[in-house]
Amino acid sequence: MYSLASYRLMTGNEAVAFAVKQVDVDFISAYPITPQTIIVERLSEYVSSGELDAEFVPVESEHSALSACIGASLAGARVFTSTSSQGLALMHEVMYIASGMRCPIVMAVSNRALSAPLNIHGDHSDIMGSRDAGWVLIFCENPQEVYDYTIQAFRLAEHPEVLLPVAVNLDGFTVSHSSEPVAILEDEVVRAYLPRRERPRLEFEEPASFGVFALPTHYFEFKVEQEKALRKAGEVLEEVSAAYPNRSGRLLKLSKFNEDGRIAIICLGGTAGTVRHVVKKYGMKDFSLISLKLFSPFPSEELLDALKEAEGVVVMDRATSPGAPLPPLASNVAASLYEAGVRLPLMSVVYGLGGREPTLKMIVEMLEKSRERIGEGGPVVSRMYLGYGGG
Amino acid sequence: MFLEILFLGRGGQGVVTAGRIIAEAALRAGLFSQSFPEFGPERSGAPVRSYVRISDEPISTRAPMESFDVAVVFEERLLGPSIVESVRSGGIIVLAAESAPELPRSDVKLFVVGARRIIEELKKPRSLNLAMVGALCSVINTIPLKHVEDIVGRRFGEENKEVVRRAAQMVVSVEQTA
């Protein structure tokens, strides 16, 4: 049983900050950047008003923010930070250090395009540029998921078999700045869900070294162990989410809508909601939607299971991977299919770069195009830039 | 029921706050709602939009709104042809004005509220947005005005409730002859 305190109208950013307050973090270091700023503002208000008893360390850059978080995390603190876009890019080298030193830091990323040209709007280029940094990567569709997944992220990160940082991604503006009803848990329920667990840390009494120099004799083993832990996080997530008190808020690796659709649309983040709306509103029953919540570790097994009946897939990427055969999500889907020996027609769609939010008309156009392409005799892989205005 | 609402005013008039108040009132009325600003930089005095969806079912779309069931316009000069055009047939325009302008279409209902006079009389010069929310609430008639009053009272002080009430009473329907 769980008790819902109430529903509150919150933006995605406010939902992050509220969850972090309830999680009772010990340490926050962050640098404000659009569209994440409100997260940092709210948290600094919570700390200054005494609602949250945490150390808030203002810094001069995101590089320092994440570095400070690593120090606090190694000292045993429960740690949070957040950023976007250029800020995440500046953190890039430190992200590898956080995961390599097995720091269970939780970071919210209000996803935004990368410069140049300068742009403050939403897309997934920022986090996709750091997707190999060894973090658990979670994507949220709406402020409700942002709230629920932020809380669960801490339990996952701090699990003794995981001990890895987790990035909770929310689309810049469309989720970060959209106010929606959020069902919130009582503070005590959140605290009970997240007991503090012992983990290796810096102590005077029992000195230990973290971040040691590893020669070719050891470095390889460190990295493979780290990768194993990341894979393990997929399994651990199942128990972490099963224990979450609000059943409807449990973090599943993916959610599927309209099981019977013959063409599966695979999508990360807020746009999944728009696709679901279109399939429902226009009665396009031949489409199913797979909203992927977990990008890393990639849930290949669950995805293949969800694609059992599919005749084709449309994979929507809100980022490009210039020079690569396919953009990030499509590449992971294709690899998963290949491993299972499944040769499904795949339409790779790049959309929404720099905040070009897909309209209902654009989604309909994409679905209709996929019907043509995923017919008999079509190419196995085809590509589309949705809403692209160039030739 | 699925309503898409546009708020159109100027930076500094509380356009975004207006959207949030009506979304919160809808939530209190047991409805689903979503409110978001026009994304991007904001400039004081420049035209500003915010958007609201209200439904009796969960709202999953995050598509930009291109047409509206209701447009709430804070000033007559902002009611340009493209805004009139963006209201759906059978839709509503709620306009802050002392008298009704001629509309080029007859399939849209026009409501006018003397919002500026109300806030002047009540000595609440910064509460134009609250007047517009009161007028909107009265016109769409799906959310009890009490919820708006409660939210406004809590956030902006008891005396602002009167702004909401008076605008709700004074908003009038204008017969279109076009």
Side-chain angles (χ1 to χ4, degrees), chain B residues 27-82:
Chain B
L27 169 61
R28 287 187 182 208
L31 297 166
F32 294 92
S33 59
Q34 181 190 63
S35 151
F36 54 95
E38 184 169 47
F39 305 134
E42 290 156 25
R43 300 183 313 272
S44 180
V48 164
R49 292 160 167 241
S50 79
Y51 306 89
V52 176
R53 291 187 171 105
I54 296 173
S55 175
D56 44 15
E57 284 176 49
I59 299 166
S60 69
T61 178
R62 325 199 77 79
M65 281 186 227
E66 295 165 301
S67 60
F68 311 96
D69 299 297
V70 187
V72 183
V73 183
F74 285 37
E75 152 186 338
E76 201 176 322
R77 273 195 300 176
L78 291 172
L79 185 62
S82 65

Side-chain angles (χ1 to χ4, degrees), chain A residues 310-314 337 343-347 373-375 378-382:
Chain A
E311 293 169 24
V313 286
V314 176
L337 291 171
R343 201 172 156 83
L344 273 185
L346 183 154
M347 180 165 122
R373 300 230 186 131
I374 299 175
V380 176
V381 172
S382 63

Side-chain angles (χ1 to χ4, degrees), chain A residues 230-241:
Chain A
L230 186 57
R231 297 234 172 266
K232 186 78 190 172
E235 283 168 47
V236 171
L237 177 62
E238 288 170 24
E239 71 176 77
V240 163
S241 64

Side-chain angles (χ1 to χ4, degrees), chain A residues 5-74:
Chain A
S6 57
Y7 277 86
R8 285 200 199 178
L9 197 75
M10 288 186 191
T11 64
N13 280 344
E14 288 167 345
V16 169
F18 193 80
V20 169
K21 175 173 77 119
Q22 289 189 309
V23 158
D24 193 27
V25 297
D26 306 309
F27 182 95
I28 300 158
S29 185
Y31 189 86
I33 180 170
T34 300
Q36 147 273 29
T37 311
I38 306 295
I39 299 175
V40 184
E41 283 180 5
R42 288 287 182 281
L43 285 170
S44 77
E45 284 162 16
Y46 290 144
V47 171
S48 70
S49 70
E51 281 177 89
L52 172 60
D53 181 17
E55 201 68 45
F56 186 97
V57 180
V59 280
E60 87 301 343
S61 77
E62 290 83 358
H63 191 283
S64 299
L66 189 53
S67 299
C69 287
I70 289 172
S73 182
L74 292 176

Side-chain angles (χ1 to χ4, degrees), chain A residues 232-295:
Chain A
K232 186 78 190 172
E235 283 168 47
V236 171
L237 177 62
E238 288 170 24
E239 71 176 77
V240 163
S241 64
Y244 188 63
N246 183 358
R247 179 177 284 274
S248 64
R250 289 177 182 170
L251 170 48
L252 307 173
K253 293 172 189 171
L254 55 85
S255 82
K256 195 171 175 189
F257 169 73
N258 196 24
E259 297 279 340
D260 303 329
R262 66 185 179 92
I263 300 176
I265 315 298
I266 305 171
C267 187
L268 291 166
T271 304
T274 308
V275 175
R276 190 181 300 111
H277 178 84
V278 167
V279 170
K280 242 193 243 180
K281 184 178 171 183
Y282 300 106
M284 300 174 92
K285 290 191 183 134
D286 46 342
F287 294 97
S288 63
L289 169 75
I290 296 170
S291 175
L292 216 57
K293 317 294 183 184
L294 186 66
F295 181 80

Side-chain angles (χ1 to χ4, degrees), chain A residues 217-235:
Chain A
T217 50
H218 291 88
Y219 182 87
F220 205 152
E221 282 68 28
F222 266 101
K223 297 323 276 184
V224 174
E225 286 306 311
Q226 189 189 326
E227 190 172 343
K228 282 184 197 163
L230 186 57
R231 297 234 172 266
K232 186 78 190 172
E235 283 168 47

Side-chain angles (χ1 to χ4, degrees), chain A residues 130-350:
Chain A
S130 293
R131 68 185 185 274
D132 292 333
W135 288 47
V136 174
L137 303 180
I138 292 166
F139 283 82
C140 310
E141 257 187 52
N142 52 45
Q144 180 71 63
E145 291 187 356
V146 169
Y147 171 78
D148 292 320
Y149 298 174
T150 300
I151 296 170
Q152 289 166 80
F154 280 93
R155 181 144 159 171
L156 180 62
E158 292 171 2
H159 192 284
E161 288 186 88
V162 178
L163 291 179
L164 283 172
V166 178
V168 178
N169 292 275
L170 54 152
D171 289 80
F173 291 108
T174 44
V175 178
S176 72
H177 283 58
S178 184
S179 304
E180 287 170 35
V182 175
I184 54 172
L185 297 161
E186 302 273 10
D187 289 355
E188 309 82 72
V189 174
V190 176
R191 306 270 161 100
Y193 174 72
L194 288 169
R196 282 177 158 69
R197 305 172 92 152
E198 285 294 317
R199 63 172 196 261
R201 62 183 179 124
L202 293 168
E203 279 178 289
F204 280 113
E205 294 75 17
E206 292 174 54
S209 289
F210 291 83
V212 293
F213 190 68
L215 293 169
T217 50
H218 291 88
Y219 182 87
F220 205 152
E221 282 68 28
F222 266 101
K223 297 323 276 184
V224 174
E225 286 306 311
Q226 189 189 326
E227 190 172 343
K228 282 184 197 163
L230 186 57
R231 297 234 172 266
K232 186 78 190 172
E235 283 168 47
V236 171
L237 177 62
E238 288 170 24
E239 71 176 77
V240 163
S241 64
Y244 188 63
N246 183 358
R247 179 177 284 274
S248 64
R250 289 177 182 170
L251 170 48
L252 307 173
K253 293 172 189 171
L254 55 85
S255 82
K256 195 171 175 189
F257 169 73
N258 196 24
E259 297 279 340
D260 303 329
R262 66 185 179 92
I263 300 176
I265 315 298
I266 305 171
C267 187
L268 291 166
T271 304
T274 308
V275 175
R276 190 181 300 111
H277 178 84
V278 167
V279 170
K280 242 193 243 180
K281 184 178 171 183
Y282 300 106
M284 300 174 92
K285 290 191 183 134
D286 46 342
F287 294 97
S288 63
L289 169 75
I290 296 170
S291 175
L292 216 57
K293 317 294 183 184
L294 186 66
F295 181 80
S296 177
F298 197 75
S300 299
E301 206 180 302
E302 290 80 1
L303 183 67
L304 287 166
D305 191 50
L307 291 176
K308 252 192 222 148
E309 308 292 327
E311 293 169 24
V313 286
V314 176
V315 188
M316 298 181 70
D317 269 280
R318 202 171 183 177
T320 55
S321 188
L326 286 168
L329 179 57
S331 173
N332 281 11
V333 172
S336 303
L337 291 171
Y338 187 86
E339 189 170 356
V342 179
R343 201 172 156 83
L344 273 185
L346 183 154
M347 180 165 122
S348 164
V349 178
V350 170

